[in-house]
Each structure stands twice: as structure tokens, then as C-alpha cells.
Amino acid sequence: MMLALNPMSGIQRLTLLAVAAALFFVTFELIRKRRLREEYAVLWVCTGVMILVVAILPDILFIVAGWLKLSPEVMMTLVVILFLAAIVLHYSAVITKISDRMKGLTQELAFMRDEMERLRGELKEAQRTQVDPKPKPPSLRT
Amino acid sequence: MAAEAQPERKLSRVPDLAGRRALVIVPAYNEAETIQRVVRDLTRHAPWADVLVVNDGSRDATAQVARQAGVKVITLPVNLGIGGAVQTGYQYAYQQGYDVAFQFDGDAQHRARLLGPLAAPILAGQADLVVGSRFLRPRGMTASGMRWVGIKMLSALISAAIGQRVTDPTSGFRAAGRRAIELFATEYPQDYPEPESLVLVHQQGLRVGEVPSTMRRRLKGVSSIRPFHSVHYMAKVMLAVIMDLFKAPVLVKREAV
């Protein structure tokens, strides 16, 4: 088996290293500033690790491309597309979860507002009729 | 003679509740123009049932008009769509211990006098969810063109999925018994709730029934199923229904009442 079919030039590897470093830095900074949760950072860290691996050991890219009988350029493009698709799919799942929770909260809020209005009405009625405060609070519907 | 027959006819429309409580869930989104009519229809022809209007984040006076008409209103602070609004009604029915809950559109296309026959299979213990079908008897409504084809295809798919003939899977005129109320309070489909809920009910081991029913033409507004979009709609619904067949079962959480 041939190794290093078409090794990358030094400048290409340096560029990839810089991209990986920038990605790590931005992800780290966003987490540090609490603008990105670790849960969603995993994918970005994985992306950075992948770029780093290719920068340090570019042979891997060419060997795998050889196995799959693809040119390295096509394989790299495919990998990137699949990765972006995975990220979008992940976000669709996150949106589903969030909208389910939002629905639950909206319903709960509607019931609580209804309950509050009922209790407020009862309180007003009690004050209006000058009835002594009840020994126990008004019954809560469950 | 006609005068004698009339009250009897009316009486037969009143279901034999035998102490059980019924709630009519009216989901309403910007229905200020029709909601008063709907409530009047309900209080006149179905006085044996309580009414709950679920105001689905309307931007018009739906809630005020309904309250003035003398019924209970629960307002969702943001618009959830028909699925979320109807589920809110089922959650209320569950919390308040209702035995039968109806779905009744806020756009006045459903008829309150048909609620009694709709509840009959549930009160008789024959079904957990009953759908009022427009197509069950010959004089029933016929949909036009593509829509007819779409509904036929969808009912064939759902009938096959639940192993029982269903003629009007998109009808939103329904009655639910205690077990269906409990299920829907926990899990109710959001995308295409009418057809999908039939599959859900069947998967949870509950029984589906259908009774013949008629509906009025819409007073205002358009069907959520627009003719030009009906092919697209039906394709999406069918895909959703097929996916439902593969979904993991729902665990209905029972709260201590």
C-alpha cells in the first residue's frame, strides 16, 4: 500500500491548524461567556478535532480516500457536508424538544393564570362582603 | 301530532349521562365573529354539558366575547395551534374529572344538537373515542375533487393502520371518554392531530368509534386543508401517520386525583 499519495504542503497544514485553533478558541470563549452550552459545543469540538487530525496526519485523509476510491477533494467535501447535515439534524431535534417544553409551559401558564383570576375573584368577594379571613386558605383545585 | 313528536325528538338527543359530567372543548383562534353563535348553540342545544373555550392566543376579542356569553375561557398566552389548544382542553377535562369531553370547533361548523348521539357509544361503554363522520351515510356531505380523493386515501390508510373502517379521519367533531381524556392530557399529536390521534388511540389499546354526523358550511375563514394544497397536505399527513406506527408507546402518567 502506498502511503502519502499526495501529502499536503506545509502551508495547507498550517492553515488547517489555524482554523482548528480558531474554532477551539471561539467555542471556548462562547462557553466561557455562557453564550453556548457545553451540550451543544460537543459537535463543534468534534469538528475542531477532525480538522486537527487532518492537519497533523494528512496521510489519513488520503488513505481513507484511497479505500473509498474517491479523490481526496471529493471525500473532504463529502465529510464536510455530512458533518453539517449532522449538525442541522441535531438542531432539529433540539428545536423539537424546546417547542414541546414551550407548549407545556404555555399550557401550565394558562392554567395558573386562570387559577389566579379565580382566587383573585374569591378574595374580592370576601373583602366586599366583609367576611373575616377564612381560617384556612381557599381550596386549590388540583 | 307534530307538536307531540317534537319534544320526544329533542329528548332523544339528550344523552343519558347518569351522573357523569360532560365538557365541550371549543378551541378558538381569532373567532370573535362566530364564537358567540357557537356558545349560544351549545347552551341552547346541549345545556347538559359544560363549555370551555380555549382561546389560542387570539389577537381579537374572542376571549371577552366568549366570557360575556357566559362560558369558561382559558387563554393560552401564545398561539399553540389546534393540537396544543385541544390538548389544553383535555388537560382541563382531566384535572376537573370530566367523564366525557367533546371537541367542537369555534368556527360554528359543528352542531350542538348532534353532541348527544356523538356521546352515545362512550356512555354505552362501546368506545373511548368517537368521531362524527360526514361520510357515513349517503346523504352526508361530499367533498370536491382532489379533496375527496385525499380523504378517501387517508381513510383507507388509517383504516388499515387501526384495523377498522374509518370514513372521516380529518373530522374534528369528536367525543372522548375518560381513558382517551387521560391519554390526550399527556400526549396529543401536534402536526395533524385529527388523523394522528386515531392511530395514537388505537396504539394505546383504546377503542375508536364513528357515528354519522353533519356539519355546516363555514361562516368565515378557510379550512386548514386548502384545495390547492390538499395533495401536499395529504402526502404529509400520510407520512406522519405511517411514522406514528413506528413510534414508541406513550407512558400515560397518572396523577393522584
Side-chain angles (χ1 to χ4, degrees), chain B:
Chain B
M1 259 177 78
E4 259 177 41
Q6 194 58 24
E8 198 186 288
R9 219 175 92 93
K10 264 194 176 162
L11 261 178
S12 70
R13 301 255 183 206
V14 177
D16 181 20
L17 287 168
R20 284 172 287 191
R21 294 161 66 226
L23 177 75
V24 182
I25 301 163
V26 184
Y29 175 57
N30 294 340
E31 305 280 12
E33 286 172 43
T34 54
I35 198 75
Q36 193 180 11
R37 218 178 130 138
V38 170
V39 170
R40 210 187 297 135
D41 184 26
L42 284 166
T43 46
R44 187 174 301 164
H45 294 118
W48 41 270
D50 294 339
V51 176
L52 170 71
V53 170
V54 181
N55 171 31
D56 190 11
S58 297
R59 282 160 300 169
D60 66 5
T62 300
Q64 293 91 309
V65 174
R67 237 178 233 119
Q68 270 164 21
V71 292
K72 172 97 191 159
V73 177
I74 283 195
T75 293
L76 295 168
V78 297
N79 178 263
L80 289 184
I82 185 77
V86 166
Q87 186 184 35
T88 307
Y90 279 120
Q91 288 171 339
Y92 181 83
Y94 180 61
Q95 289 165 15
Q96 303 291 317
Y98 282 97
D99 305 285
V100 184
F102 298 95
Q103 280 172 241
F104 195 91
D105 277 3
D107 64 4
Q109 64 166 326
H110 296 154
R111 295 165 193 271
R113 60 170 73 233
L114 299 177
L115 285 171
L118 195 63
I122 285 169
L123 296 171
Q126 293 161 342
D128 300 296
L129 181 73
V130 178
V131 180
S133 169
R134 290 161 287 184
F135 310 116
L136 211 54
R137 59 181 162 202
R139 68 188 183 87
M141 209 173 107
T142 49
S144 57
M146 289 309 288
R147 212 160 139 184
W148 184 85
V149 175
I151 289 175
K152 280 285 160 200
M153 279 167 69
L154 188 60
S155 42
L157 175 69
I158 297 213
S159 302
I162 72 172
Q164 141 184 17
R165 187 170 165 247
V166 175
T167 58
D168 197 359
T170 60
S171 164
F173 189 53
R174 292 165 177 221
R178 192 72 193 139
R179 289 183 69 199
I181 292 172
E182 190 179 47
L183 170 64
F184 290 159
T186 309
E187 176 77 25
Y188 192 69
Q190 279 201 83
D191 295 338
Y192 310 103
E194 289 86 13
E196 289 195 83
S197 58
L198 294 174
V199 180
L200 176 68
V201 160
H202 173 74
Q203 279 177 326
Q204 297 295 125
L206 274 60
R207 296 154 303 165
V208 176
E210 252 191 346
V211 298
S213 215
T214 55
M215 290 178 200
R216 293 190 195 98
R217 291 198 177 278
R218 273 162 210 278
L219 291 177
K220 80 164 204 33
V222 287
S223 164
S224 51
I225 314 168
R226 284 169 294 175
F228 294 115
H229 297 247
S230 59
V231 176
H232 185 213
Y233 171 86
M234 284 301 162
K236 284 195 294 184
V237 177
M238 284 187 203
L239 192 67
V241 167
I242 290 167
M243 275 314 299
D244 286 340
L245 294 172
F246 295 99
K247 280 183 189 167
V250 182
L251 286 173
V252 178
K253 63 170 177 227
R254 282 156 214 270
E255 291 165 35
V257 182

Side-chain angles (χ1 to χ4, degrees), chain A residues 6-137:
Chain A
N6 183 11
M8 284 190 198
S9 68
I11 191 79
Q12 281 172 326
R13 294 174 65 175
L14 274 177
T15 308
L16 278 181
L17 271 177
V19 168
L23 192 58
F24 281 131
F25 177 74
V26 170
T27 311
F28 180 79
E29 274 299 291
L30 283 174
I31 296 173
R32 202 178 59 80
K33 290 176 184 161
R34 298 173 210 282
R35 281 166 56 190
L36 181 69
R37 274 172 51 190
E38 287 88 339
E39 190 191 342
Y40 306 125
V42 173
L43 272 166
W44 297 111
V45 172
C46 285
T47 310
V49 168
M50 256 179 45
I51 297 172
L52 203 63
V53 167
V54 173
I56 295 169
L57 302 163
D59 290 352
I60 287 178
L61 180 67
F62 295 95
I63 293 167
V64 175
W67 287 343
L68 297 173
K69 308 234 184 302
L70 293 170
S71 72
E73 295 86 350
V74 169
M75 200 196 75
M76 202 57 214
T77 312
L78 265 179
V79 167
V80 168
I81 289 173
L82 285 177
F83 225 81
L84 290 177
I87 288 172
V88 171
L89 192 64
H90 175 73
Y91 285 146
S92 309
V94 171
I95 290 168
T96 304
K97 190 174 77 180
I98 290 171
S99 67
D100 272 353
R101 288 179 178 175
M102 193 208 71
K103 185 189 76 170
L105 287 172
T106 303
Q107 290 167 332
E108 192 64 33
L109 184 57
F111 286 126
M112 289 189 68
R113 189 191 275 177
D114 175 61
E115 187 67 20
M116 191 196 73
E117 271 163 24
R118 193 182 67 86
L119 291 173
R120 187 185 278 162
E122 265 178 32
L123 188 67
K124 243 184 204 162
E125 186 63 21
Q127 284 171 342
R128 200 178 58 83
T129 53
Q130 300 276 305
V131 174
D132 287 333
K134 292 168 190 168
K136 57 177 185 179

